[in-house]
Amino acid sequence: MEEAARRRRSWCAPLPSATILRNNSGDLGSRRAADGRGMSAPPAPRAAVVKRRITLAVLTLVNSTNFWQRNLLYALASVWPPNCLDTCEGATFVPICSSCGAASLGSESEDTCRACQECRIEEESEFYSLRDAACMSDAQYGLLASVSFTIMFAASGLVAGHLTDRLDARKLHAGAVLVWSLSSFVKVVSPNFKLLVCMRLIMGVAQGFNAPCSYPVIAYHFSMAERATANGMYSMGTYFGSALSTLSLIFAMWVGWRMTTTAAVVVGIFAAALLYLTVDRPPQRYGATDGSETMVKAIGNAVRYVRRTSRLAVLYGSTSLRMTATVSLWTYLPSYYARAFPRNEVAFSLIYASATLVCGALSSSVGGAIADRWAKTHSGAHGFLPAVGALLSIGPTAAMFYVPSFSASVCCLLVVILLSECWLGPCMGLLIKDVPPHMTGTQVALLLVCNQLLASLGPWAISLADDGSADIRRPILSVVATCCLCSGVAFVGLGFMHGEETVAQQRPTYVVDDDHRSVTLLPGRDLINTETAALLANKTDPPDK
């Protein structure tokens, strides 16, 4: 009884900053104490810092291969033989295995189409273009590029989140990278449309594991004060991968689509091996559960948790609106520039790839760092910074569509990317902050699924008003500006909701029962740091160990 009372008293005191896990002084892994069961001593501080930086770099590389291979299809399907660029300008694409007469074109369009086909046959277009190699029509390409990937990606994300919370995230992640890389390589061996659909479905399933496996590892290695910066650095992989996929069009015109695909696959396999060898998964007791929850029950619990937590509900809505603006812009921006400035199409491809790589990565990384620095003086900074970026980007977006010259429009595009892509790192940090660790993977997957489902409505709405001319800028601007305005207002509200925290609320006091399996919050305290409570509930050792 005396021992139990002593333990209870030792846990009733407010937790010092060195005891609260993942506090501002460093990562959780660097403070795991040695116990009597052979656990190794904590690593040196410098070694811990180097370890987590390597982990973040490897995860960023994996994220780059994810987006490179996901978007590679769009580039390889758009390649023309270099000697046919002038002949095929303005021609309707019909695979060389089909007849232009069967496409129901006008007489003038049919002549242009036939001349383009003859040039492509002479130049062996199967070497350059995946669409000619697989004899892929426009309808088939639309199916391959959208539905066949999106449905499986969204569905597998929820399964991935559930498994990540219960199994070894490192093995799951490395296996998923290997699977999506090999699925890309199959088309090199046999570019058949039916096989391409099957491999695209498999890629969607495998890539659904990427984010749910990555963000919990980042949350384990980086404290809340550094997490927006770390998430922003990780998001740089999105822009690296997108830039590589855009540059792959030029690379395929040089060495062919098969060699381009092989290069992306080799990088992916290397990233999978590096991930397995260098990245540590969180320890088993970190957010551990008894494993009795089924996937449906876990997803249901995650949904109810969001409904009960107003800050999470606002976060889901604001990020979904912001994602809709991003997806709408990225989907239709190349089409707008091809119609408004047709002679600058190649220049736009190069500039857009460079802008995505440099400005997108800079906005993501610097935005996360600014949010973390700002949060030292105001706890709502992680909501206010995305609001500033979303609201300030509306003006340059409008200017981008209505300035008369190509150079001025591209300059506005650079400003838009710099201002608008600073939101993902801070928002993921807020998500990890408000959910318990045993639910992190499921919540990340659920957030991404909601983002994708709502974001798909933006391009669909634009397509309803698309008349095939440069006036497509009107529906694009309407959708993007509306989503940026609404998300900006929601982000402001989110910032005020987080800004209501006090210093005492950020360091709650807990009472842990004698069996060390349940946590009781002392009266008068708000459960702000839910991840700390869940971690304490899963500890099996008294604190003085």
Side-chain angles (χ1 to χ4, degrees), residues 439-522:
M439 200 184 287
T440 301
T442 304
Q443 286 286 357
V444 170
L446 187 63
L447 177 66
L448 294 179
V449 169
C450 292
N451 288 172
Q452 286 190 336
L453 290 178
L454 185 59
S456 64
L457 298 179
W460 173 74
I462 295 172
S463 67
L464 297 179
D466 185 8
D467 60 358
S469 69
D471 283 339
I472 193 178
R473 63 188 176 184
R474 295 178 181 176
I476 297 175
L477 181 59
S478 298
V479 171
V480 172
T482 300
C483 290
C484 285
L485 179 61
C486 294
S487 65
V489 173
F491 281 135
V492 170
L494 187 64
F496 280 115
M497 295 172 76
H498 281 272
E500 294 174 353
E501 295 180 11
T502 64
V503 175
Q505 287 175 323
Q506 296 179 33
R507 287 291 182 265
T509 302
Y510 304 100
V511 176
V512 181
D513 292 344
D514 293 336
D515 58 1
H516 303 286
R517 295 301 300 171
S518 62
V519 173
T520 303
L521 193 66
L522 289 185

Side-chain angles (χ1 to χ4, degrees), residues 78-372:
S78 304
V79 180
W80 300 95
N83 294 332
C84 297
L85 293 177
D86 293 335
T87 305
C88 294
E89 183 177 3
T92 301
F93 179 86
V94 177
I96 58 177
C97 61
S98 302
S99 171
C100 291
S104 301
L105 304 174
S107 58
E108 184 176 352
S109 299
E110 185 175 337
D111 292 339
T112 306
C113 173
R114 187 174 292 107
C116 179
Q117 270 195 337
E118 292 174 356
C119 179
R120 283 154 46 210
I121 292 173
E122 182 179 349
E123 294 293 328
E124 298 181 351
S125 183
E126 301 97 325
F127 175 79
Y128 301 100
S129 173
L130 174 61
R131 291 186 66 177
D132 277 330
C135 191
M136 194 188 310
S137 65
D138 288 338
Q140 290 174 327
Y141 170 70
L143 175 65
L144 194 64
S146 58
V147 178
S148 62
F149 178 87
T150 305
I151 292 179
M152 298 307 297
F153 180 81
S156 70
L158 295 176
V159 179
H162 176 75
L163 295 178
T164 301
D165 288 333
R166 285 148 184 81
L167 302 177
D168 190 332
R170 181 187 62 172
K171 293 180 180 179
L172 282 175
H173 202 179
V177 178
L178 189 62
V179 169
W180 82 55
S181 297
L182 294 179
S183 67
S184 294
F185 186 72
V186 170
K187 63 176 175 282
V188 175
V189 180
S190 178
N192 177 274
F193 175 72
K194 293 182 179 179
L195 186 61
L196 287 177
V197 172
C198 293
M199 292 302 104
R200 190 72 172 170
L201 292 172
I202 293 174
M203 176 181 285
V205 172
Q207 293 200 346
F209 283 78
N210 185 55
C213 288
S214 297
Y215 284 109
V217 175
I218 295 175
Y220 166 64
H221 283 283
F222 291 87
S223 68
M224 183 61 203
E226 304 168 307
R227 205 168 289 159
T229 304
N231 289 336
M233 297 295 292
Y234 170 76
S235 299
M236 290 174 62
T238 302
Y239 307 104
F240 287 143
S242 299
L244 286 172
S245 63
T246 302
L247 294 175
S248 294
L249 188 151
I250 300 174
F251 193 51
M253 294 177 66
W254 176 36
V255 298
W257 71 268
R258 285 182 172 85
M259 186 62 69
T260 304
T261 302
T262 303
V265 169
V266 169
V267 174
I269 294 175
F270 172 76
L274 203 60
L275 173 67
Y276 183 79
L277 294 174
T278 61
V279 175
D280 289 338
R281 57 156 288 172
Q284 189 64 36
R285 71 175 63 180
Y286 174 76
T289 63
D290 57 7
S292 60
E293 262 190 338
T294 63
M295 183 185 69
V296 175
K297 184 178 179 181
I299 296 173
N301 289 337
V303 173
R304 285 190 290 272
Y305 192 89
V306 174
R307 292 175 59 186
R308 293 196 306 265
T309 312
S310 57
R311 299 196 309 198
L312 282 180
V314 174
L315 177 66
Y316 270 63
S318 57
T319 54
S320 296
L321 288 169
R322 190 63 196 85
M323 180 68 79
T324 303
T326 298
V327 171
S328 300
L329 201 61
W330 286 7
T331 301
Y332 277 97
L333 205 57
S335 298
Y336 166 72
Y337 274 93
R339 301 173 190 179
F341 308 101
R343 295 185 179 181
N344 301 105
E345 188 172 3
V346 175
F348 169 75
S349 298
L350 293 173
I351 294 173
Y352 191 41
S354 303
T356 301
L357 175 62
V358 178
C359 297
L362 189 64
S363 177
S364 177
S365 58
V366 175
I370 292 175
D372 281 339

Side-chain angles (χ1 to χ4, degrees), residues 66 347 409:
N66 181 345
S409 180

